[in-house]
Amino acid sequence: MNKKTIKSLVRRYIPVFITIALAVVSSVQCFAQSSKKSSSDSEQYLQVIEELYQYIQNNYVEEVDPQKLYEGALRGMLNSLDDPYSEYLDQNDWRSITDTTSGSFGGVGLSISKPNESTPEKPAYVDVIAPIDDSPGAKAGIQPGDKIIKIGNVDTTTITMEEVLSLLRGPKGTTVKITILRGKNMVFDVTLTRAIIENPTVKYGMIGSTGYIRLSSFSGTTTARFQEALDSFQSQGYKSLIIDLRNNGGGLLQTAVNIADKFIDDGTIVATKSRISYENSVFYARKKNTVVKNIPVIVLINEGSASASEILAGALKDAKVAYLVGANTYGKGSVQIPSQLLNNDGFKITVARYYTPSDVNIDKTGIPPDREVLYPEFTEEDDAVYLKLIEDDVISKYVENHPNMTEADIAAYAETLYKTYKLELRFLRKMIRNEVYRTKPAMLYDLDYDIQLNAALEILEKEDVNKLIKNSKTLKQLENAKLLKEKSR
């Protein structure tokens, strides 16, 4: 490429680059100036960016693709925020967001996040927030808290989040191998067959006299489906209610507010706070309750409950209308807005934070349950046995040769497996059941394995749940107690 061509490219791309930079700085107001910074400071920074861009184009030892500089500048600005939810989105990533929002896309069905910075002490692996119901990831037994350390032969610490998404997604029926790190030492490979991911948001049914609703996400249709579940329970004379938010990675804020409004008489449901005035909002209850008054309500949460599900859980806890059972939630208390740039790529950045009715932001800390119920952790010996079981691949082969297995068949085969693989029988039955249901719709609940759901049912049966709710602490009270404890040390 000659100098004349380079100059032509510079003239062509610098205006685009500066226009995009100005769009980022001004139009979208994402990089609005601090009150302590003058406009001349911003102009100077933009001038420096332009001068550096020109200098690289004219003097670097090799020719440089202008798009590479442009993307590098945007990624650098967004990475400097040290926020895992603020990121540059190239054209493929922008299309992926559109596909995801529409509720149907080709992939493996995992809600994930990834740190921007990788260190030897804390490698930037891909964190699994939650698998989507009935997805390849869920049916393969991938769990919240697992880390994807490789996709194929690619070390995930060496690639960006957008590259991760590009590798995981693909045409229906194609396969992708991922390497999972579970806990500190358990490492194993899983091959997933991509599918069209259609995320069902509401599933429900009766467990005795208890209405059970499982929410996998919050979409535009979730509120109506939730009300449908309540109407069904009402017709069957339900005496108590369980809302299962485990592995719910979030969704639409307004949907979470609408569902909370069915329980809360008055006051704040959630507030968003930002230094941008129009992002400051307070969502109030509108006294449109549709839940039977004083009915005992338990909400199941775990480390896969994030964002909008934390809004709902936090609102019901602070309003003292529900009792939380399970494990501490993920801790995503921030609001992101995706914005498209001039050339069909885009970005998303955090513009506000959520605050519960008692004025607590749970970002990076999560919401603790009122009653903690945890699954037992594997010992090092358990890890080794589990890895051997995965490598031997005996379960899939057995299920393939024994179609239409019943629960009795599952229990019998678990006893046989236990002779070689000394893992808890309940866990072995779960692994077999996962394989049996790999090509079938997921079960609504699994009382044989689900100790958290069983704990909730036992609390409803044996304890005064409304009294437990009344005596529970709000998130602000818990926060103040924690601060007081730290000060007394």
Side-chain angles (χ1 to χ4, degrees), residues 33-34 37-46:
Q33 298 175 41
S34 167
K37 294 288 185 180
S38 67
S39 59
S40 61
D41 289 333
S42 293
E43 291 173 2
Q44 184 179 18
Y45 293 143
L46 289 173

Side-chain angles (χ1 to χ4, degrees), residues 215 218 243 245 256 259-260 263 307-317:
L215 301 179
F218 295 86
I243 304 172
L245 298 178
I259 292 175
F263 295 83
S307 193
S309 59
E310 292 174 296
I311 289 172
L312 178 57
L316 298 184
K317 176 174 175 56

Side-chain angles (χ1 to χ4, degrees), residues 417-481:
L417 276 179
Y418 185 76
K419 296 175 183 178
T420 306
Y421 307 96
K422 302 292 185 182
L423 295 172
E424 187 181 3
L425 281 170
R426 178 179 58 87
F427 182 76
L428 289 173
R429 290 194 295 270
K430 176 65 173 174
M431 290 188 67
I432 300 167
R433 197 174 292 115
N434 281 349
E435 188 62 35
V436 169
Y437 282 86
R438 182 183 290 274
T439 57
K440 302 176 183 179
M443 299 170 62
L444 178 58
Y445 50 80
D446 183 353
L447 291 179
D448 177 51
Y449 177 77
D450 196 339
I451 61 174
Q452 292 172 334
L453 177 55
N454 277 301
L457 291 168
E458 186 175 357
I459 292 169
L460 288 168
E461 180 184 356
K462 297 181 178 179
E463 301 184 51
D464 185 341
V465 175
N466 287 330
K467 186 176 180 180
L468 291 173
I469 294 171
K470 182 179 178 181
N471 294 332
S472 65
K473 290 183 171 62
T474 66
L475 290 170
K476 176 59 74 174
Q477 289 171 329
L478 290 173
E479 183 180 71
N480 290 339

Side-chain angles (χ1 to χ4, degrees), residues 135-175:
S135 70
K139 291 182 176 181
I142 295 174
Q143 302 174 8
D146 284 349
K147 295 182 183 297
I148 302 174
I149 62 175
K150 283 186 179 181
I151 304 173
N153 295 319
V154 180
D155 181 345
T156 57
T157 64
T158 66
I159 56 177
T160 63
M161 182 62 164
E162 50 266 30
E163 290 171 318
V164 169
L165 293 173
S166 178
L167 290 171
L168 290 178
R169 292 186 173 182
K172 174 185 176 182
T174 59
T175 60

Side-chain angles (χ1 to χ4, degrees), residues 218-449:
F218 295 86
S219 73
T221 62
T222 303
T223 303
R225 289 278 290 158
F226 191 91
Q227 186 59 50
E228 177 186 297
L230 293 177
D231 293 342
S232 173
F233 299 156
Q234 181 72 34
S235 68
Q236 298 177 72
Y238 74 126
K239 303 297 182 184
S240 54
L241 180 65
I242 294 175
I243 304 172
D244 193 344
L245 298 178
R246 292 174 299 173
N247 302 337
N248 182 324
L252 299 177
L253 166 65
Q254 187 61 56
T255 299
V257 170
N258 292 343
I259 292 175
D261 201 18
K262 297 179 183 296
F263 295 83
I264 300 173
D265 284 327
D266 54 40
T268 300
I269 291 176
V270 66
T272 61
K273 299 182 182 182
S274 172
R275 67 192 182 98
I276 307 169
S277 59
Y278 61 78
E279 293 296 343
N280 292 320
S281 301
V282 181
F283 296 83
Y284 296 101
R286 298 171 296 175
K287 298 184 179 179
K288 293 186 177 180
N289 308 79
T290 56
V291 179
V292 175
K293 282 294 181 185
N294 298 318
I295 193 167
V297 179
I298 287 181
V299 175
L300 292 173
I301 55 174
N302 70 356
E303 59 275 17
S305 307
S307 193
S309 59
E310 292 174 296
I311 289 172
L312 178 57
L316 298 184
K317 176 174 175 56
D318 277 354
K320 290 187 178 289
V321 295
Y323 192 69
L324 274 51
V325 174
N328 203 89
T329 63
Y330 182 79
K332 183 182 182 296
S334 57
V335 184
Q336 285 74 43
I337 291 183
S339 299
Q340 192 167 19
L341 293 169
L342 302 178
N343 55 345
N344 296 322
D345 56 1
F347 65 97
K348 61 176 181 176
I349 69 166
T350 299
V351 296
R353 290 191 171 88
Y354 298 126
Y355 286 77
T356 70
S358 65
D359 199 35
V360 172
N361 175 250
I362 50 80
D363 198 45
K364 298 179 182 178
T365 60
I367 297 174
D370 297 307
R371 181 78 58 87
E372 186 176 60
V373 180
L374 303 177
Y375 286 89
E377 294 186 4
F378 272 17
T379 64
E380 289 187 8
E381 290 181 357
D382 291 335
D383 286 349
V385 174
Y386 179 81
L387 287 173
K388 184 73 166 62
L389 180 56
I390 293 293
E391 291 167 359
D392 291 347
D393 195 27
V394 293
I395 294 178
S396 63
K397 294 175 183 176
Y398 186 90
V399 171
E400 183 179 356
N401 293 325
H402 297 80
N404 304 316
M405 291 179 68
T406 65
E407 280 297 317
D409 296 331
I410 290 172
Y413 182 47
E415 294 281 358
T416 301
L417 276 179
Y418 185 76
K419 296 175 183 178
T420 306
Y421 307 96
K422 302 292 185 182
L423 295 172
E424 187 181 3
L425 281 170
R426 178 179 58 87
F427 182 76
L428 289 173
R429 290 194 295 270
K430 176 65 173 174
M431 290 188 67
I432 300 167
R433 197 174 292 115
N434 281 349
E435 188 62 35
V436 169
Y437 282 86
R438 182 183 290 274
T439 57
K440 302 176 183 179
M443 299 170 62
L444 178 58
Y445 50 80
D446 183 353
L447 291 179
D448 177 51
Y449 177 77

